[in-house]
Amino acid sequence: MFNIDFKKIFIIGLALLLPILSINMEQKQSETTWYNTPLEYLMGFVQETFYTFTTGVRQTTSQYLDLVNLKKEAQDIKEQNRELLAKFESLNEIQRENDRLKELLEFKKSTKMDLLAARIIGRDVIPDHNTITINRGTRDGIQAGQAVITVGGAVGFIFRPTKFISHVMLITDRYAVADGIVQRSRAHGIVEGRNVRGCVLQYVERTEDVKPGDLVVTGSLDNIFPKGFPLAVVESVERKTFSVSLKVDLKPVVDANKIEEVFIIRNAGKEDFGERFSPNSNTESDGNSKVSSASNRDSKHKSTESSKNRNEPSAGSNAATENKAVENKDSKAQKSPTPTSDSIEASMGLPKGIN
Amino acid sequence: MKRPWLFILNFFILMLTLFILAGIQTTFWNQLFGTFPPPLLWMILVIFVSIYRRPVSGLFSVYFFGFFVGTFSCIPLKMMLIPLLLIFLVVYSIKGRIFWTGPGYFSILVGIGTFFYQFIFITSSLWLEKSPTSMMLGTRLTELILTPLFAYLIYFPLNFLDTLTIDQVTRESGGFQL
């Protein structure tokens, strides 16, 4: 009559009974029953596997992220380093300028000449001529024929002053002439410019004693330069058979391509440098004289380094009294604060340059 | 015909350009490149005027430019004007034979003009000066290379100026014309 599926009823009843029975089953949470153990083993294995996998992925990702951050940090540090290096270089340049200006100031103080400082602002437009333009003119008291010097030696003379600027003919120009004396043997001659690299000493008698390495200093006949100021160094001497005079090639003491500031001698004050710039007097005085009589101006860097080491003024003093005066000045200088470039420029009357 | 005052304006602008180029050569170049030889920038203008002006006005313009450039140097006037006259003649005679428009032609002629300038200057110096100039091969070669390169760049603004201010811009020529 009724088509009853007992099997189905049983299964359904069991399915409903199990939860009801479990209500009454007292089970301690901390205990694992025998039928749960394999399941738990399986569960543990699965979870550990996933955990290991995700931990590995996370570690790898974080390492990558750390690398990226490190790289960024390294770039930032490099950028900072570059900026610091650039600042350091500019400070170095300021330091060099400071040393240079201090040197000029000390030279100016150590001499009785009336000097006017100036900056070089231009060169000659024709490469066959060697002239420079400075930022001083007739309104500063400049006149044609005034000598132009640096700490190391003679540079040239004013040949065309205007109101605001002046043209300086270097001693290496073909049209430049200066009275010269070989310091060692007192042989007299005329220094004529040849090209940017050198000059010649003309009209030196054949019998005169001139050797390579001799220092040629200014004489006083041309009434331009103070006497005894370094001009050039003898490079070679040639005695031609049928010639009355020697052929003496000179290399200027001052490389005009490397200087930036010069002095114009407004009044020489009968200054006579005498033996002040001779090589012997320089070694005896302090051994580190900034005014190297037989060297080029690219030794100015060495001289600035020596000034840092010694903290002594220079200008070729070799007399005992002058040394004492220098030492006194030095002790005062050590007590007083280091002058800045601006204050040095102001005290020298240098206008603000193009730097 | 365009107003004549435009021609005068053109001349003054060229003069100003000459001063600027000379200033760049004597001051700005040294600040950037130190003792490296600069190109003869003022020569570019001289040759431009030699090519693109009538002979008389061109020659006098060249003399004026030489006079102005002499203020930047201690060169005697004779050593400035004589080479410039010869350069003008060389450039003008080449232009009469071979001519085409464009910066390329201008650069070539500037190169030729610079070469002849060096040669003429050395010869004039040997002839006229007691203390003649030296060879300075390195400097002269550098000028010979750099000057035409800069001429190529400077041609465009100069040509533009001429288009604005000059009535009949010289192009083809059929012989000597005053």
Side-chain angles (χ1 to χ4, degrees):
Chain A
M1 252 171 38
F2 293 103
N3 199 7
I4 299 169
D5 192 351
F6 288 104
K7 191 177 175 186
K8 273 189 186 174
I9 292 170
F10 176 72
I11 291 169
I12 292 166
L14 193 64
L16 290 173
L17 200 65
L18 277 173
I20 296 166
L21 282 176
S22 70
I23 293 168
N24 289 326
M25 279 172 72
E26 289 181 5
Q27 186 184 18
K28 290 182 182 175
Q29 291 283 342
S30 57
E31 284 178 5
T32 307
T33 51
W34 59 271
Y35 50 83
N36 275 341
T37 305
L39 293 175
E40 288 196 1
Y41 284 152
L42 189 62
M43 179 205 72
F45 174 75
V46 167
Q47 279 193 333
E48 273 191 26
T49 306
F50 271 110
Y51 178 74
T52 309
F53 175 73
T54 50
T55 305
V57 167
R58 199 166 44 228
Q59 278 178 353
T60 309
T61 311
S62 68
Q63 276 177 8
Y64 175 75
L65 288 174
D66 283 346
L67 278 174
V68 168
N69 284 339
L70 276 173
K71 197 175 175 184
K72 192 174 175 302
E73 212 175 304
Q75 272 178 352
D76 289 341
I77 290 172
K78 274 186 194 169
E79 191 60 42
Q80 272 183 13
N81 193 30
R82 253 183 258 131
E83 283 173 13
L84 288 170
L85 278 174
K87 276 186 188 167
F88 181 68
E89 264 315 303
S90 70
L91 287 172
N92 258 350
E93 186 59 38
I94 292 169
Q95 177 68 39
R96 276 187 226 119
E97 191 187 4
N98 196 20
D99 290 339
R100 212 171 54 236
L101 292 174
K102 263 167 58 177
E103 202 179 329
L104 294 174
L105 184 62
E106 284 159 8
F107 174 76
K108 192 178 176 185
K109 283 179 180 171
S110 70
T111 174
K112 57 184 176 182
M113 295 187 289
D114 179 17
L115 299 175
L116 179 67
R119 286 188 198 272
I120 296 173
I121 59 172
R123 309 267 166 191
D124 203 300
V125 76
I126 308 291
D128 301 85
H129 286 279
N130 298 312
T131 65
I132 55 175
T133 311
I134 58 174
N135 61 348
R136 295 286 197 182
T138 51
R139 67 171 180 171
D140 302 299
I142 301 295
Q143 294 171 6
Q146 287 176 333
V148 177
I149 63 172
T150 64
V151 174
V155 173
F157 53 90
I158 306 281
F159 80 95
R160 198 199 304 153
T162 63
K163 190 171 181 187
F164 300 106
I165 60 163
S166 299
H167 294 273
V168 177
M169 184 174 290
L170 303 177
I171 57 169
T172 50
D173 189 86
R174 293 178 287 121
Y175 292 162
V177 286
D179 180 39
I181 300 174
V182 179
Q183 191 179 53
R184 185 180 56 86
S185 63
R186 314 310 292 174
H188 215 105
I190 301 292
V191 175
E192 289 183 3
R194 268 286 174 263
N195 51 43
V196 70
R197 280 180 294 276
C199 323
V200 287
L201 187 64
Q202 300 270 41
Y203 314 116
V204 180
E205 287 186 16
R206 251 179 89 80
T207 52
E208 293 284 3
D209 177 24
V210 182
K211 291 176 188 170
D214 281 345
L215 176 67
V216 176
V217 297
T218 54
S220 56
L221 291 180
D222 54 13
N223 220 21
I224 296 176
F225 295 101
K227 194 174 178 183
F229 207 66
L231 260 179
V233 173
V234 175
E235 270 195 319
S236 66
V237 181
E238 197 179 325
R239 281 184 168 79
K240 290 187 177 174
T241 315
F242 299 105
S243 177
V244 180
S245 53
L246 297 174
K247 183 176 177 294
V248 182
D249 290 326
L250 305 176
K251 184 181 174 187
V253 166
V254 176
D255 185 357
N257 289 325
K258 294 182 181 175
I259 52 173
E260 295 175 30
E261 293 92 12
V262 294
F263 282 118
I264 304 128
I265 302 176
R266 284 194 288 204
N267 185 1
K270 295 184 183 174
E271 179 79 69
D272 184 349
F273 289 92
E275 297 293 319
R276 201 184 296 181
F277 293 105
S278 71
N280 293 334
S281 67
N282 284 339
T283 22
E284 282 169 7
S285 63
D286 51 17
N288 278 325
S289 171
K290 288 178 184 180
V291 187
S292 171
S293 59
S295 64
N296 210 339
R297 281 307 296 152
D298 48 3
S299 65
K300 69 179 177 183
H301 193 61
K302 290 183 202 167
S303 64
T304 56
E305 286 177 356
S306 65
S307 75
K308 285 178 205 169
N309 294 333
R310 294 182 297 111
N311 197 19
E312 287 178 7
S314 62
S317 52
N318 57 359
T321 49
E322 285 182 12
N323 277 337
K324 279 184 189 169
V326 158
E327 283 166 7
N328 287 338
K329 273 188 204 174
D330 183 30
S331 61
K332 282 181 191 170
Q334 284 173 352
K335 286 173 191 171
S336 59
T338 309
T340 60
S341 296
D342 287 343
S343 61
I344 292 170
E345 282 179 0
S347 65
M348 287 167 62
L350 260 178
K352 294 287 179 186
I354 54 175
N355 289 333
Chain B
M1 183 177 171
K2 287 186 183 175
R3 285 158 287 191
W5 65 268
L6 278 177
F7 182 81
I8 299 169
L9 177 69
N10 177 280
F11 177 77
F12 277 111
I13 293 175
L14 284 181
M15 202 173 74
L16 190 64
T17 310
L18 181 74
F19 273 100
I20 292 170
L21 290 176
I24 290 171
Q25 184 186 332
T26 55
T27 303
F28 190 67
W29 184 275
N30 287 320
Q31 296 290 322
L32 286 181
F33 304 110
T35 55
F36 191 77
L40 297 174
L41 296 177
W42 58 274
M43 177 65 71
I44 296 171
L45 218 59
V46 165
I47 293 177
F48 181 84
V49 164
S50 305
I51 298 173
Y52 297 112
R53 296 289 181 273
R54 293 187 180 280
V56 173
S57 59
L59 183 60
F60 278 99
S61 299
V62 164
Y63 283 160
F64 272 118
F65 290 167
F67 183 71
F68 296 141
V69 168
T71 57
F72 287 85
S73 173
C74 71
I75 189 170
L77 203 57
K78 63 182 179 189
M79 288 304 300
M80 180 58 86
L81 295 185
I82 291 173
L84 284 181
L85 169 65
L86 295 172
I87 292 293
F88 176 84
L89 291 174
V90 165
V91 169
Y92 187 77
S93 53
I94 293 175
K95 188 200 93 171
R97 299 275 181 225
I98 307 169
F99 183 85
W100 71 88
T101 55
Y105 173 79
F106 180 62
S107 297
I108 292 169
L109 230 54
V110 165
I112 294 171
T114 307
F115 170 78
F116 274 101
Y117 171 75
Q118 310 289 8
F119 178 73
I120 292 167
F121 190 92
I122 293 171
T123 313
S124 308
S125 179
L126 286 167
W127 175 38
L128 295 170
E129 292 184 314
K130 283 183 186 175
S131 181
T133 185
S134 49
M135 281 297 158
M136 298 190 312
L137 280 175
T139 305
R140 296 190 197 281
L141 269 173
T142 311
E143 286 170 1
L144 198 55
I145 293 167
L146 288 179
T147 311
L149 294 175
F150 279 83
Y152 193 93
L153 301 169
I154 295 171
Y155 170 81
F156 295 103
L158 293 178
N159 190 44
F160 178 70
L161 175 69
D162 267 9
T163 314
L164 286 179
T165 53
I166 296 292
D167 186 18
Q168 184 197 357
V169 180
T170 306
R171 293 292 175 251
E172 297 287 342
S173 72
F176 184 73
Q177 295 172 1
L178 278 175

